[in-house]
Amino acid sequence: MALDGSPRGKHPRYLPSRVLNRTAVLAAAVVILFAVSVLLGSYTVTIPDFFKIVIAHLTGGDKIPGASFIVMENKLPRAVIGTMIGVAFGLAGALFQTMLRNPLASPDVIGISYGASAAAVIAIVIFGASGAVVSGAALAGALAVAALIYAISTGGAIRGTSRGNAAGNRLVLAGVGIAAALHAVVNFLMTRADIRTAADALVWLNGSLNSANWDRAGVLFLALVVLVPAVAVIAGPLRILELGDDAAAGLGIRVNAARLSLVIIAVTLAAVATAAAGPVSFVAFLAGPIARRFTGKASLPASALVGALIVLAADYFAANLAPLLLDGTVLPVGVITGALGAPFLLWLLVTANRKDA
């Protein structure tokens, strides 16, 4: 092994080229799975018909009865939103995990998703809200809980390099504690709601793409247009923060300002994704570690693509294969991702305990 970490006898650029190649493989897989989600399933569409439908929709031409509605109002917006929330969750999880150097530091685990869930359930159960109002409440709840977690973990101080340091176990522990409290609030509200309202809230809590539409896709796209370039800008300081706070400060990085920027961007990514489709479990938690194992190195683009792959694959299974296995029952996408994430979390905890032993 060479001093730079590359295999002996290989050029130091060996690893980056491998990362780029495998990231390209992930991008191709996302394109293929996106096409599968739109063209195949319970209703199949041929490629020529798909292009005819899209062109007719854009130009106001003749529509294919039935097929045009299914593609343009169901399948295509569902796949588009699934891809975008996967990218958002994947980036959010990777930012938290890389910044805090802790594989458990994802929006699912540290309470941000629970903040969105609690706010959305309050809006549904107490105020009878629906649609965009629920999404707005979820966004506000996620941001408010993130601010609370950050304040607790920093001891209420933003300045300085020790008290204002939001890294490490304090942020994770604060998030886990707040998540437990919010989970209790959600359970209490569910017991007080009538059956129909509780059913609506439960579908949202599990994370679902059933209500996907072009309005939500447009809002989510505009959010990502702002947030993805922000991630690209903050990626440089993030790499330096991985060296440790003292080393980063010595290299001229304003540690607390950079960390606060990272937290704001990561929380907003998770919040807008949750507002669009609900708290789709464990996507943010799974994307980063899977991308790291596949590419051999922590990579934000690879994490975003893995997040999109997880959501698209889980939604295809939930919408098309689960009904065949469960007598017609269509599952929310969050049920499938939760089933994948729970054993992965247990495995991660077991392997972490073995390393510490």
Side-chain angles (χ1 to χ4, degrees):
M1 183 70 69
L3 293 178
D4 63 359
S6 61
R8 188 175 298 278
K10 295 289 187 180
H11 193 276
R13 293 184 179 179
Y14 168 78
L15 183 58
S17 65
R18 184 179 69 175
V19 172
L20 289 175
N21 291 337
R22 296 197 174 185
T23 302
V25 171
L26 290 173
V30 170
V31 172
I32 292 171
L33 197 51
F34 183 94
V36 168
S37 299
V38 175
L39 301 178
L40 303 180
S42 57
Y43 186 91
T44 59
V45 180
T46 64
I47 294 177
D49 282 346
F50 171 76
F51 284 108
K52 288 179 182 178
I53 290 169
V54 173
I55 292 171
H57 181 81
L58 295 176
T59 61
D62 294 334
K63 297 181 179 180
I64 301 176
S68 295
F69 178 82
I70 292 173
V71 171
M72 297 306 303
E73 302 301 328
N74 182 12
K75 286 196 160 207
L76 194 54
R78 188 184 187 108
V80 168
I81 290 181
T83 302
M84 289 193 291
I85 68 167
V87 168
F89 278 128
L91 286 175
L95 286 173
F96 273 117
Q97 291 163 347
T98 304
M99 176 183 65
L100 301 179
R101 289 168 288 175
N102 189 332
L104 296 179
S106 76
D108 311 276
V109 178
I110 65 174
I112 294 170
S113 295
Y114 276 109
S117 299
V121 171
I122 289 172
I124 294 172
V125 174
I126 296 180
F127 298 103
S130 61
V133 176
V134 176
S135 298
L139 179 62
L143 295 174
V145 168
L148 178 60
I149 293 171
Y150 189 89
I152 292 173
S153 65
T154 58
I158 298 299
R159 295 180 181 177
T161 57
S162 58
R163 291 185 140 213
N165 186 0
N169 293 331
R170 292 187 63 185
L171 190 144
V172 176
L173 291 175
V176 170
I178 291 174
L182 292 174
H183 185 65
V185 171
V186 169
N187 287 338
F188 172 77
L189 290 173
M190 294 292 285
T191 61
R192 306 298 296 176
D194 61 76
I195 293 177
R196 181 174 297 177
T197 303
D200 293 339
L202 188 60
V203 171
W204 195 93
L205 285 172
N206 284 323
S208 175
L209 295 175
N210 291 338
S211 58
N213 56 54
W214 289 116
D215 290 337
R216 291 191 180 187
V219 173
L220 186 55
F221 176 77
L222 292 176
L224 291 182
V225 165
V226 175
L227 292 170
V228 172
V231 172
V233 170
I234 205 68
L238 176 62
R239 295 190 192 97
I240 299 176
L241 284 174
E242 289 185 75
L243 302 174
D245 289 355
D246 293 335
L251 292 172
I253 297 295
R254 298 175 59 187
V255 173
N256 290 313
R259 199 181 299 281
L260 180 59
S261 299
L262 282 164
V263 169
I264 291 173
I265 294 170
V267 167
T268 308
L269 281 166
V272 296
T274 303
V280 184
S281 303
F282 288 120
V283 177
F285 174 71
L286 290 169
I290 292 174
R292 188 180 303 112
R293 287 182 176 272
F294 183 74
T295 61
K297 185 179 180 181
S299 170
L300 293 177
S303 299
L305 293 170
V306 169
L309 279 174
I310 292 172
V311 175
L312 287 173
D315 185 59
Y316 185 83
F317 182 89
N320 298 290
L321 301 181
L324 301 177
L325 302 174
L326 301 174
D327 296 328
T329 300
V330 177
L331 297 175
V333 63
V335 172
I336 306 301
T337 58
L340 293 173
F344 187 86
L345 174 60
L346 294 175
W347 174 82
L348 191 64
L349 292 172
V350 169
T351 54
N353 289 335
R354 287 177 180 174
K355 290 179 181 178
D356 294 338

